[in-house]
Amino acid sequence: MNNSIENYKLFDYEKFKNYDRFKFLVSMMEQKLNDSDTLLDIGCAKAELIYCLKEKFPHIQYTGLEFSQDLIDMASSQSFLKDVKLIQGDAQNFNINKKFDIVVMSGVLSIFDEIEVVLTNFISHLTNKGKGYIFGMFNSNDIDVLIKFRNNYINSNQWETGLNNFSINTVDSYLKQYFSIIKWTKFDLSVDLPKTENPINSYTLNCNEGKVITNGTGLITDFYLIELEF
């Protein structure tokens, strides 16, 4: 098991509900959710977003897709998530043979160097009247950035991905081929994030322009939620 997953073991489900990112996502999504919906979370990690949504919408049929079997096992051990269907799979090529009313993808696009196949697979699992939600870091400048990093603080010998920063224009242009409604909402933190022992984790800096989110790579990042309807 790699270091990032080991660190993930320390995350408490009840604390997730108080994190700005999850409060933001739930507040944005709950306006259009119904208990009769079916929902797929692509790259669900240990189903923390599903955990948060399930408290407000207990009767939605939840499915989570995650590449790491270790994270699936963590989610499966939670009694509150016992009726959630959890599937091991790759966002690039999974096929559940089912379409969903809601498809969510948070923090996934930045893992991949090519996003078209991931977005196409995302779209293919939505019903004709379905709604999509994509959350992640995007560049307001029309520049696509691919990043590999090696975290020497944890004595890692591996080059890792997960911080790619595609431009809003690149992503928006692709999505316009499929969706008539595309809404971008910038995510702003209400609290300061301190540095952690693992400096690749995001933290905040206060500067003349206000609060910015950065990490050990020195990259300043902006996060957005994309809401999609056909």
Side-chain angles (χ1 to χ4, degrees):
M1 185 181 294
N2 65 34
N3 286 290
S4 60
I5 294 176
E6 285 291 349
N7 290 336
Y8 224 94
K9 283 183 175 181
L10 304 176
F11 285 53
D12 181 83
Y13 278 94
E14 284 300 306
K15 289 181 180 178
F16 281 131
K17 294 184 295 185
N18 296 316
Y19 290 171
D20 270 17
R21 174 163 64 100
F22 291 106
K23 288 193 292 186
F24 171 72
L25 290 173
V26 171
S27 67
M28 295 295 289
M29 293 176 63
E30 66 182 353
Q31 305 169 36
K32 296 185 178 180
L33 291 182
N34 297 295
D35 257 334
S36 60
D37 285 335
T38 57
L39 183 148
L40 170 65
D41 185 359
I42 301 172
C44 68
K46 61 179 195 177
E48 57 269 33
L49 178 58
I50 291 176
Y51 186 98
C52 296
L53 289 170
K54 198 170 185 292
E55 286 202 327
K56 290 180 176 288
F57 298 93
H59 302 297
I60 285 178
Q61 295 179 38
Y62 294 98
T63 300
L65 179 102
E66 170 55 42
F67 183 77
S68 167
Q69 186 61 49
D70 292 311
L71 292 178
I72 290 176
D73 292 342
M74 291 181 206
S76 299
S77 68
Q78 298 294 315
S79 58
F80 187 66
L81 300 173
K82 64 182 180 181
D83 56 346
V84 175
K85 186 174 182 179
L86 297 167
I87 301 169
Q88 194 281 329
D90 189 321
Q92 299 175 104
N93 54 31
F94 77 95
N95 185 358
I96 299 178
N97 293 316
K98 178 180 177 180
K99 293 184 182 291
F100 296 82
D101 302 307
I102 307 291
V103 178
V104 188
M105 190 162 59
S106 176
V108 172
L109 280 184
S110 57
I111 297 170
F112 300 99
D113 289 355
E114 301 294 339
I115 60 173
E116 288 81 1
V117 66
V118 179
L119 289 173
T120 299
N121 213 15
F122 172 96
I123 295 164
S124 71
H125 284 83
L126 272 170
T127 64
N128 291 336
K129 295 183 179 179
K131 299 176 179 65
Y133 297 87
I134 300 173
F135 181 83
M137 62 174 74
F138 299 97
N139 191 357
S140 58
N141 297 304
D142 196 8
I143 298 173
D144 300 320
V145 183
L146 302 182
I147 292 178
K148 284 190 177 181
F149 64 92
R150 185 170 59 199
N151 192 347
N152 299 312
Y153 286 93
I154 58 174
N155 296 318
S156 173
N157 293 318
Q158 295 182 337
W159 288 96
E160 300 181 55
T161 62
L163 297 176
N164 291 338
N165 202 9
F166 293 94
S167 79
I168 290 174
N169 186 61
T170 293
V171 178
D172 198 69
S173 296
Y174 186 82
L175 293 173
K176 280 179 179 177
Q177 301 176 73
Y178 302 94
F179 296 99
S180 59
I181 298 175
I182 303 174
K183 179 183 177 183
W184 290 77
T185 303
K186 191 173 183 293
F187 167 65
D188 292 311
L189 276 169
S190 64
V191 297
D192 292 328
L193 290 180
K195 280 186 178 182
T196 66
E197 290 184 6
N198 185 354
I200 206 63
N201 294 336
S202 294
Y203 61 92
T204 52
L205 292 174
N206 293 306
C207 59
N208 292 337
E209 290 76 21
K211 186 181 303 180
V212 297
I213 304 173
T214 186
N215 55 52
T217 66
L219 177 72
I220 294 176
T221 55
D222 290 326
F223 290 83
Y224 294 84
L225 175 68
I226 317 170
E227 298 174 76
L228 304 161
E229 295 183 42
F230 290 112

